[in-house]
Amino acid sequence: MINTMMSREIAAQAEILPQCVEPIATQVRRILPLEGRIFAGGCGDSAFAPAALGGVFAALGVDVVPATSMTLASFTQFREDDTVILSSISGGTKRTVEAAQAARAAGARVIAITCGSASALDQTATDTILLPFTPLSRKTPHTLDYAVTLAALVELALAWRSMPPEKVLPLFNDIPSMLAVAAARARDIASRMEPAGKLFLLGAGPDLGSAEYGAAKFHEAGGLVAIAAETENFIHGMNFMVEQQDTLLVLGGNAAGAARGAQVVEGFSHFVTCAEIIGPGVTSTWEESFRSVLSQTFTIQNLCLEIAERRKLALELPRAGRDHGDAHAAIQAMLMAR
């Protein structure tokens, strides 16, 4: 295997997520909810995580508005009774720190979720949840980091509903079997994908957050072409981008999304190389919703790894070893610092 680090990160979720539950629970119990609006977001995966958890939050009766750091920093009018949850593994993401500063300037409360003790985000925030793990790598498509962020957000929501944050533990104890199922599903899908084709990831409602996370993994895996879209909007024009060698994956973690997704898959099943729907379709409790998010996440992670292995992409290298990797990395670093 070329990408042993990403493989290790995916497997480590089974061990590290249960270990993180109690340390995170201890911290979130001290962060009492306030009256007012709740925003949650960040950049990249940190923006996708609260969006993907929309069904979990809804089932718990916690109204959370997901947003990117730039939306929060530049386009949101904060009020004093707002709570803004901002995630950044390093704690130094520039737009995320700016969002924290904008919220604090308006008198709002900021909760940081980070590994970066004494980071700029930690120092700006009103409260901080320090994630109790050390990332194995920041060079591969992010897997473990994302899952721990999901866990912290759910534990915080549980605490705000006066429910034990440790209620996630039974679900996390099932992660080994969930990972095994996800790996088998990913191998099956990868075996039918055409290397020259594009990947479309569709989702409705909260599943769009998971679709965006999934597309981002392929972008990080050497710049592979993957496009995330809302399931209904896809068939209002984007569908004309689809070629016969493409793969169409629809995330069906809620009833409406699964029903519409099944129609899309049926419509394209005899046109594209591979068309699949991923998800249980019915999620009525927060536990079912969270299980759905994790199952989708693990399947996407394993699919990304499987494709990288089949194409011999070295994921720890800039642009996975493909041409102009160093140039891309330099441009990214320059822009992220501004």
Side-chain angles (χ1 to χ4, degrees):
M1 175 174 282
I2 300 172
N3 298 294
T4 55
M5 177 54 74
M6 186 175 179
S7 178
R8 283 178 55 203
E9 289 179 309
I10 292 173
Q13 295 172 120
E15 177 183 358
I16 291 178
L17 281 171
Q19 292 176 353
C20 287
V21 170
E22 183 54 41
I24 292 176
T26 299
Q27 295 178 78
V28 301
R29 288 193 193 95
R30 297 195 290 261
I31 304 176
L32 299 177
L34 298 177
E35 297 297 327
R37 302 176 300 177
I38 301 173
F39 298 89
C43 290
D45 289 358
S46 294
F48 307 142
L53 291 171
V56 180
F57 295 142
L60 287 171
V62 180
D63 188 10
V64 177
V65 179
T68 66
S69 292
M70 189 166 187
T71 295
L72 293 170
S74 301
F75 304 102
T76 305
Q77 297 294 319
F78 292 110
R79 301 195 294 251
E80 288 186 0
D81 62 348
D82 287 341
T83 295
V84 186
I85 308 167
L86 292 166
S87 302
S88 168
I89 295 297
S90 68
T93 307
K94 192 172 180 64
R95 291 291 91 75
T96 303
V97 174
E98 289 178 358
Q101 292 168 340
R104 288 299 304 273
R109 182 176 63 166
V110 174
I111 300 171
I113 298 177
T114 182
C115 288
S117 175
S119 63
L121 182 59
D122 174 41
Q123 293 176 343
T124 305
T126 316
D127 303 282
T128 296
I129 299 171
L130 286 175
L131 299 176
F133 81 110
T134 300
L136 300 183
S137 172
R138 296 294 290 163
K139 295 180 180 180
T140 62
H142 304 322
T143 54
L144 174 62
D145 303 356
Y146 180 74
V148 178
T149 300
L150 290 173
L153 288 166
V154 172
E155 289 197 64
L156 186 59
L158 286 168
W160 283 356
R161 295 301 296 165
S162 300
M163 299 171 67
E166 297 90 345
K167 284 182 74 70
V168 298
L169 193 54
L171 181 56
F172 287 171
N173 288 336
D174 287 343
I175 288 178
S177 62
M178 295 171 68
L179 285 172
V181 170
R185 185 75 184 277
R187 285 192 297 271
D188 174 59
I189 294 172
S191 70
R192 289 178 285 124
M193 291 177 67
E194 170 58 52
K198 302 182 294 296
L199 170 63
F200 290 87
L201 280 158
L202 310 182
D207 285 345
L208 179 56
S210 291
E212 291 175 326
Y213 167 76
K217 298 311 97 187
F218 283 81
H219 303 161
E220 294 163 6
L224 300 180
V225 178
I227 302 167
E230 201 264 354
T231 306
E232 186 65 28
N233 277 339
F234 169 78
I235 58 175
H236 287 263
M238 188 180 288
N239 57 293
F240 291 114
M241 295 172 61
V242 179
E243 307 289 350
Q244 289 184 305
Q245 69 265 31
D246 293 343
T247 293
L248 186 64
L249 300 180
V250 184
L251 303 182
N254 54 73
R260 189 54 166 154
Q263 294 171 345
V264 173
V265 167
E266 180 183 8
F268 276 94
S269 61
H270 300 294
F271 182 80
V272 298
T273 299
C274 178
E276 292 275 340
I277 187 164
I278 301 171
V282 179
T283 52
S284 58
T285 67
W286 74 264
E287 292 97 335
E288 290 172 341
S289 292
F290 195 21
R291 179 180 290 274
S292 174
V293 173
L294 291 174
S295 295
Q296 292 173 351
T297 298
F298 297 155
T299 301
I300 289 165
Q301 292 173 351
N302 277 279
L303 182 61
C304 178
L305 176 61
E306 186 70 21
I307 294 300
E309 286 293 297
R310 288 169 181 259
R311 300 189 188 184
K312 296 180 170 50
L313 299 173
L315 296 179
E316 292 187 80
L317 296 177
R319 206 164 179 251
R322 296 170 68 195
D323 291 345
H324 311 299
D326 289 337
H328 276 282
I331 294 169
Q332 182 191 46
M334 178 266 292
L335 290 173
M336 290 181 68
R338 291 184 176 178

